[in-house]
Amino acid sequence: DIALPVAMVREVQKVAKTEHRTVSELIMEAFRQYRAQRNLRALSQAGRRAVKAKGLTEADFGGPFEA
């Protein structure tokens, strides 16, 4: 079960209708996007830790790191 504020439910329903999707499809897509962003952050953090542990610098990668 999930609970959402009434205003958010109305907005979700409006967006779903505009995009010709079901509310379930919209919620599933939102969760997939959230999970992908979370996984990418975790991967980025792991990479940064590995770079630091190996003592690598920006020069080892041919330029500055992206923020």
Side-chain angles (χ1 to χ4, degrees):
D1 290 335
I2 63 169
L4 301 171
V6 173
M8 186 179 287
V9 170
R10 288 188 186 121
E11 188 174 357
V12 168
Q13 290 170 332
K14 184 178 178 182
V15 170
K17 184 176 181 179
T18 300
E19 295 186 5
H20 306 287
R21 300 168 76 179
T22 66
V23 169
S24 291
E25 289 170 334
L26 196 62
I27 298 295
M28 286 187 292
E29 176 62 22
F31 181 71
R32 281 192 291 269
Q33 290 292 326
Y34 167 79
R35 188 176 54 202
Q37 288 175 357
R38 205 172 135 210
N39 290 343
L40 185 58
R41 271 193 308 272
L43 182 61
S44 177
Q45 289 171 351
R48 288 178 190 275
R49 283 191 301 270
V51 164
K52 188 175 181 178
K54 292 182 182 293
L56 300 173
T57 67
E58 293 174 349
D60 295 312
F61 295 91
F65 294 139
E66 294 182 24

